[in-house]
Amino acid sequence: MQLSELKALITGGASGLGEACAEAIIAAGGSVTMIDLNQEAGQAKAESLGERARFVKADVTSEEEVQAAIQT
């Protein structure tokens, strides 16, 4: 898999394993959209990762919120 070409949607991206995955993908040249409930932490992480990262606040137990995040 070429991580440099990857565009990933990561749940729980503001902390823990999701955060580590986002960092690894960005470091390899890919792009990430992180979904999490913690807006403050998610926005801060996206800003620290740079232009290939974005954050969308969403509750993964809500199909509507996840669909909205995917559209982003």
Side-chain angles (χ1 to χ4, degrees):
M1 179 186 313
Q2 296 292 340
L3 292 182
S4 63
E5 299 173 15
L6 185 67
K7 295 180 182 176
L9 182 66
I10 301 173
T11 59
S15 63
L17 185 57
E19 178 183 20
C21 290
E23 290 171 348
I25 292 167
I26 292 291
S31 300
V32 299
T33 297
M34 298 174 292
I35 298 176
D36 206 303
L37 287 174
N38 188 333
Q39 186 166 359
E40 185 176 316
Q43 286 178 330
K45 178 47 75 175
E47 288 174 12
S48 74
L49 292 174
E51 64 183 31
R52 292 189 325 272
R54 71 173 55 186
F55 171 76
V56 178
K57 182 180 181 201
D59 182 345
V60 296
T61 65
S62 167
E63 183 178 347
E64 294 166 348
E65 289 186 28
V66 172
Q67 286 296 331
I70 290 169
Q71 294 303 316
T72 300

